[in-house]
Amino acid sequence: MRFSDSIVALSSGKLPAGVAVVRLSGSKTRFAIETISETSVPEREVALRRLKQADGSLIDTGLVIFFAGPASFTGEDVAEFQVHGGRAVVSALLQTLTSIDGIRHAEPGEFTRRAFLNGKLDLVETEALADLINAETESQRRFALLNAGGAQSELYDAWRRRLVHARAMIEAEIDFADEDDIPGSVSDTVWSDMRRLSNEIAEHIAGFHAGEIIREGFDVVILGAPNAGKSSLFNALARREAAIVSDEPGTTRDLLEVALDLHGLKVRLTDTAGLREHAGTVEGIGIERARKRAENADLVAVLHDMTATVPDIELPTRSRVLRIGTKADLVSGRKKNRPEFDVVLSAKTGEGVTQLLEKLGELAEEAAGAAGSLLPSRLRHVELLNEGNAFIEQALGQDDLELQAEDLRLAGERLGRIVGVVDVEDLLDVIFSQFCIGK
């Protein structure tokens, strides 16, 4: 796709910086290079150039790299200017480039949008690229890199091709039943494969929560009675004073969250209000929020003060529970060996904190499964996969070939929407490549 205007933007990090990268894409790229450097640059080679404003004054001396389209990120002519990362330098360069007729500032995500519209990326790869940029942990990086490399797209496209093939076989039987080259029945070949495909899609969908954990983090909520040591432990794990610690019950009234990197996975830790009866209005709101938050958590860490009587706390039914005994520094060694606790610790001395972090990392790793596996990475994918699989199941449950063919068409369309490609010529391509129709 050819765009009438060219776009430019700062593509590197926050200024000031050691080096700033300004990216330019579009038909005016080559002209812009020759205008501000007063010379051309070879393709795909780093060239040192003096970059000048329209009046001939020097902006900076920097490196210029030119990528001729379509062999570029966006599919258009692209240039990257590497200059010193001062605000004034970058501002002057951007102002000079946008003063050239036909060049404007890029909108957010516009370079990637052009790459998609020019067929350089599909929708799944585009989403994975955003995940790669935002990756905070090793597992997020690996997961995003796998999808950005096209592995997920290849899986969905392979499923779509199987649906196209099945539909082509069915429609061939309907329309060309008198031809010798058309099989008399497609039930054994098509429907057995469609049943396998339905099972494969269902199994893939089941991995969505593991993909969510990798992308969004393993969700751990801390629950306990007032003064059980929740905020002290939260601060110890966060390694900063993130929560107010006080002997007064009800100090924590809102949800506080911090992210940890454990075993290469993001773990989201949430501190909550102490659970107790007869709380005030504001504190009661905090307690209700704590209970709701715990119901949807991957893990609930329930803290008990080992120096006090263990209170009867109503625990969420859907979340896994890890029982933690706190204030180990205030009890004798013999009293620490209590089987009802998975971990015993002291936030004050640090005893048991490392053991807890290791345990949280293991549980997060277990919940996430293999970070290198092909898992759904977006709710959008899951919704379309569910819709597609419903159409496959519908086709498997009826006998009318025409209705079955339509169901498979709709299923293939849903899978095509995931990657953003639905080719209406696919069906004819399959028919003419596999059968001698019209010989």
Side-chain angles (χ1 to χ4, degrees):
M1 180 177 292
R2 186 175 179 84
F3 297 89
S4 59
D5 51 0
S6 298
I7 55 175
V8 64
L10 174 67
S11 292
S12 53
K14 183 179 178 182
L15 301 176
V19 175
V21 179
V22 172
R23 177 181 286 174
L24 173 64
S25 177
S27 58
K28 288 297 183 76
T29 298
R30 195 186 297 267
F31 174 77
I33 293 173
E34 294 174 353
T35 299
I36 70 170
S37 69
E38 298 180 339
T39 181
S40 62
V41 298
E43 294 182 19
R44 296 182 174 276
E45 292 183 17
V46 179
L48 181 65
R49 292 290 186 269
R50 290 168 59 85
L51 308 177
K52 298 181 179 181
Q53 294 178 315
D55 61 3
S57 60
L58 183 66
I59 300 172
D60 193 13
T61 299
L63 301 177
V64 184
I65 310 174
F66 175 63
F67 304 90
S72 69
F73 173 70
T74 63
E76 306 174 306
D77 285 351
V78 172
E80 289 188 356
F81 301 89
Q82 298 182 17
V83 294
H84 293 95
R87 292 188 178 91
V89 174
V90 173
S91 177
L93 178 57
L94 290 173
Q95 186 175 1
T96 300
L97 289 170
T98 54
S99 68
I100 299 173
D101 186 44
I103 299 179
R104 61 172 176 82
H105 291 284
E107 297 293 331
E110 195 169 1
F111 286 95
T112 305
R113 182 183 180 88
R114 291 194 177 194
F116 168 70
L117 292 174
N118 285 325
K120 307 299 289 187
L121 298 170
D122 62 32
L123 284 181
V124 173
E125 291 169 333
T126 299
E127 291 166 332
L129 182 60
D131 288 342
L132 187 60
I133 292 170
N134 295 320
E136 299 174 300
T137 66
E138 178 62 15
S139 61
Q140 289 175 334
R141 183 192 68 81
R142 292 200 307 267
F143 186 52
L145 200 60
L146 182 68
N147 293 335
Q152 197 175 26
S153 298
E154 289 173 8
L155 176 66
Y156 297 152
D157 193 53
W159 284 346
R160 188 174 67 91
R161 288 197 303 269
R162 285 165 68 180
L163 286 165
V164 169
H165 176 266
R167 182 183 163 213
M169 296 284 285
I170 293 170
E171 296 214 353
E173 182 170 327
I174 294 171
D175 297 334
F176 306 102
D178 57 339
E179 295 284 341
D180 293 337
D181 295 318
I182 306 299
S185 172
V186 298
S187 59
D188 291 339
T189 57
V190 169
W191 299 118
S192 59
D193 185 54
M194 290 299 97
R195 171 54 63 192
R196 287 194 299 272
L197 177 58
S198 178
N199 293 336
E200 289 172 22
I201 292 175
E203 184 178 351
H204 182 70
I205 291 171
F208 176 57
H209 185 57
E212 273 191 313
I213 289 174
I214 295 171
R215 288 188 64 250
E216 304 296 336
F218 184 66
D219 192 11
V220 180
V221 173
I222 301 174
L223 287 186
N227 290 333
K230 299 184 302 300
S231 295
S232 295
L233 176 60
F234 183 77
N235 288 338
L237 297 178
R239 297 183 180 179
R240 60 185 174 88
E241 295 298 316
I244 298 173
V245 177
S246 170
D247 292 333
E248 180 183 344
T251 302
T252 302
R253 297 186 177 184
D254 209 345
L255 304 178
L256 301 175
E257 185 174 299
V258 69
L260 308 177
D261 186 345
L262 303 177
H263 290 209
L265 286 161
K266 182 179 180 179
V267 175
R268 300 199 323 270
L269 195 69
T270 303
D271 187 20
T272 63
L275 305 182
R276 64 169 173 167
E277 301 294 334
H278 313 299
T281 302
V282 176
E283 187 182 350
I285 294 173
I287 291 173
E288 183 60 25
R289 287 180 179 176
R291 293 190 184 280
K292 288 183 178 179
R293 187 73 175 78
E295 281 290 344
N296 298 313
D298 296 310
L299 177 70
V300 176
V302 182
L303 272 59
H304 298 292
D305 180 354
M306 293 193 297
T307 66
T309 303
V310 176
D312 185 17
I313 297 176
E314 183 182 349
L315 298 176
T317 56
R318 293 185 297 178
S319 304
R320 186 169 181 174
V321 173
L322 183 70
R323 296 184 180 274
I324 301 171
T326 62
K327 304 184 181 180
D329 56 306
L330 300 179
V331 298
S332 63
R334 192 175 291 178
K335 290 182 179 180
K336 293 180 184 180
N337 300 322
R338 293 169 61 173
E340 67 266 34
F341 297 129
D342 300 297
V343 179
V344 171
L345 56 80
S346 168
K348 183 177 181 180
T349 66
E351 177 188 353
V353 172
T354 301
Q355 180 187 354
L356 174 60
L357 288 171
E358 183 65 23
K359 184 69 174 178
L360 292 177
E362 290 173 359
L363 293 174
E365 206 168 32
E366 178 185 324
S373 300
L374 281 177
L375 303 171
S377 56
R378 289 288 193 286
L379 181 59
R380 178 183 76 86
H381 303 172
V382 173
E383 290 173 345
L384 288 169
L385 287 167
N386 274 320
E387 290 177 17
N389 211 18
F391 282 119
I392 296 174
E393 290 292 335
Q394 189 169 294
L396 289 166
Q398 59 186 352
D399 298 323
D400 188 299
L401 286 178
E402 291 186 0
L403 293 177
Q404 289 174 316
E406 176 63 9
D407 286 334
L408 295 184
R409 183 189 72 80
L410 292 171
E413 181 187 50
R414 296 308 189 275
L415 266 66
R417 287 182 187 177
I418 298 177
V419 295
V421 178
V422 179
D423 189 353
V424 295
E425 296 298 319
D426 279 357
L427 185 60
L428 290 177
D429 291 341
V430 172
I431 291 177
F432 282 103
S433 65
Q434 297 201 8
F435 301 103
C436 298
I437 299 170
K439 58 184 178 185

